[in-house]
């Protein structure tokens, strides 16, 4: 039986560790040739190293797959062009980009430096734009030349942006913006056979155990051998493989959260309620006071990250 991603070429960014590592290994196991991108830095984005990407490439090759390392930063527009060109030159084409690379610089907004803001936006939001931009230019060109490569974009978002999390304005804003970027690019590119979706992980990696104290409390230790580990980062990979495959040709502009054996379909801004003034005239602030508060009361409290995590971990 042919493998799910036989004949496909994928780039996975930030694939040297954590979620990206498992995703790269899984895509390769499913038959894709993989560009394993990782800058090899600390979780705050400082430092570089070739070790993490090289190790994943070795693991893929040892399992009989094909892979090549790339150490460029996703925040560098030209370096990302080189990464996309590497896939095409080395493996003949590009079909899949998994935008996964990420860093954290958590800080309450009133203490956040400009550099902490810029660094996080640069890796997550601009990094995702850079990869999407180069890939979509290529896919559109190929499609016009009669070659539908069925491009698949899988972009990594977070509840920090979808629900909001204290101390993460930079990161949450970037992740919420990626969800919007993904939806819009899915609409722009569907005519060229490209779809774009997001995944929101919840897993035990250095970003949740070391970099985010508010999340660390939810992250248990690895479970004993033989038991299902709900927080194993490798649990995310099959969803990414599905979204990267031809099975997902008609899945576009969606956001999925995954924890262990549970997958959520998430949809963002939507009408919850509406009030119309009885006369055809402008609202006054005082009238809006009762109209707005009436809607808020009916709607109930917003879901937040803590209540969602309690529910998810409790299996409710
Ligand atoms: P991780 O730190 O284990 O892995 C991230 C990898 O990205 C690292 O190997 C790092 O070197 C690499 N990287 C960082 N900046 C880069 C850059 N500029 N260019 C290329 N590579 C770069 O973290 P993780 O938890 O596996 O995170 C992966 C993604 O998942 C991130 O986008 C993160 O925001 C997102 N996420 C994770 C969780 C979770 O529960 N772990 C939850 C929500 C979202």
């Amino acid at each position: 039986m042919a493998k799910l991603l036989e004949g496909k070429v994928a780039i996975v960014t930030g694939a040297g560790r954590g979620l990206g590592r498992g995703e790269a290994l899984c895509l390769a196991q499913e038959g894709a040739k993989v560009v394993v991108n990782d800058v090899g830095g600390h979780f705050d984005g400082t430092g570089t190293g070739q070790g993490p990407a090289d190790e994943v490439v070795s693991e893929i090759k040892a399992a009989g797959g094909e892979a090549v390392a790339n150490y460029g930063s996703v925040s560098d527009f030209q370096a990302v062009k080189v990464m996309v060109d590497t896939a095409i030159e080395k493996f003949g084409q590009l079909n899949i980009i998994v935008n996964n690379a990420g860093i954290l610089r958590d800080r309450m907004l009133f203490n956040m430096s400009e550099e902490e803001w810029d660094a996080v936006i640069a890796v997550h939001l601009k990094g995702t734009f850079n990869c999407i931009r180069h890939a979509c230019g290529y896919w559109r060109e190929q499609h016009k030349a009669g070659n539908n490569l069925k491009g698949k974009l899988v972009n990594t978002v977070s509840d920090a942006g979808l629900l909001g999390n204290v101390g993460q304005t930079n990161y949450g804003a970037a992740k919420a913006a990626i969800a919007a970027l993904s939806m819009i690019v899915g609409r722009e590119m569907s005519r060229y056979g490209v779809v774009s979706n997001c995944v929101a992980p919840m897993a035990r990696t250095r970003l949740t155990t070391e970099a985010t104290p508010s999340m660390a409390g939810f992250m248990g230790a690895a479970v004993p051998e033989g038991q299902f580990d709900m927080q194993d980062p490798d649990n995310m990979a099959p969803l990414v493989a599905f979204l990267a495959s031809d099975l997902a040709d008609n899945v576009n502009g969606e956001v999925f959260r995954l924890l262990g054996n549970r997958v959520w379909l998430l949809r963002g801004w939507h009408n919850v309620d509406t009030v119309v003034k009885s006369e055809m005239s402008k609202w006054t602030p005082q009238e809006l006071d009762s109209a707005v508060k009436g809607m808020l009361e009916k709607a109930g409290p917003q879901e937040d990250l803590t209540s969602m995590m309690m529910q998810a971990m409790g299996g409710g």
Side-chain angles (χ1 to χ4, degrees):
M1 202 174 73
K3 290 181 175 176
L4 183 66
L5 299 173
E6 200 73 61
K8 304 284 186 188
V9 178
I11 293 174
V12 183
T13 71
R17 295 191 188 87
L19 291 147
R21 173 183 170 275
E23 291 163 3
L25 290 169
C26 177
L27 297 191
Q29 202 179 2
E30 293 293 348
K33 296 173 181 143
V34 184
V35 177
V36 176
N37 160 266
D38 205 295
V39 83
H42 189 250
F43 70 67
D44 66 3
T46 56
T48 54
Q50 300 191 348
D54 286 343
E55 278 166 36
V56 174
V57 168
S58 300
E59 275 187 82
I60 290 174
K61 287 185 174 167
E66 284 188 62
V68 64
N70 173 277
Y71 317 108
S73 172
V74 293
S75 61
D76 179 333
F77 192 72
Q78 282 315 320
V80 172
K81 172 83 170 78
V82 170
M83 180 171 77
V84 167
D85 289 347
T86 300
I88 299 163
E89 280 156 23
K90 181 90 185 155
F91 299 129
Q93 62 185 39
L94 175 66
N95 309 92
I96 300 156
I97 294 209
V98 182
N99 280 304
N100 164 79
I103 63 165
L104 283 176
R105 299 270 184 103
D106 289 8
R107 186 90 57 205
M108 296 301 271
L109 181 81
F110 43 79
N111 285 324
M112 190 173 288
S113 69
E114 186 182 2
E115 207 245 326
E116 286 164 338
W117 173 268
D118 287 346
V120 169
I121 299 292
V123 173
H124 290 278
L125 183 54
K126 183 160 182 230
T128 301
F129 162 75
N130 288 342
C131 295
I132 289 181
R133 169 64 187 83
H134 290 299
C136 286
Y138 162 74
W139 285 329
R140 177 172 173 268
E141 203 176 90
Q142 289 290 313
H143 192 274
K144 285 187 157 191
N147 185 19
N148 182 0
L149 289 164
K150 300 211 220 181
K152 298 284 184 302
L153 294 163
V154 185
N155 307 304
T156 310
V157 295
S158 167
D159 283 308
L162 304 174
L163 302 180
N165 196 27
V166 168
Q168 297 194 310
T169 47
N170 49 3
Y171 177 66
K175 289 304 202 187
I178 291 170
L181 165 64
S182 175
M183 181 180 68
I184 296 166
V185 90
R187 288 184 192 169
E188 288 185 1
M189 290 300 293
S190 59
R191 77 188 69 167
Y192 305 110
V194 176
V195 296
S196 179
N197 294 287
C198 290
V199 292
M202 263 192 271
R204 189 189 317 101
T205 70
R206 64 182 187 168
L207 286 194
T208 43
T209 56
E210 293 173 49
T212 321
S214 63
M215 290 294 292
F218 291 109
M219 293 296 142
V223 301
E225 187 85 14
Q227 276 180 32
F228 181 58
D229 183 353
M230 289 287 285
Q231 298 171 351
D232 184 339
D234 292 352
N235 294 336
M236 178 51 91
L239 177 60
V240 170
F242 161 72
L243 291 171
S245 76
D246 291 351
L247 297 175
D249 280 355
N250 298 315
V251 181
N252 194 13
E254 303 290 359
V255 178
F256 302 94
R257 180 198 290 134
L258 186 139
L259 169 68
N261 60 349
R262 184 184 290 232
V263 185
W264 290 255
L265 170 64
L266 303 175
R267 290 206 172 149
W269 300 110
H270 58 277
N271 287 327
V272 173
D273 201 356
T274 174
V275 275
V276 183
K277 193 172 163 174
S278 49
E279 308 106 63
M280 289 292 279
S281 63
K282 245 202 289 190
W283 289 94
T284 67
Q286 291 75 16
E287 287 166 345
L288 283 167
D289 180 43
S290 67
V292 167
K293 285 179 183 165
M295 284 195 290
L296 291 174
E297 201 173 317
K298 244 174 44 191
Q302 288 188 33
E303 187 180 22
D304 68 9
L305 201 130
T306 308
S307 61
M308 189 278 300
M309 286 297 281
M310 304 276 275
Q311 189 211 24
M313 295 299 184

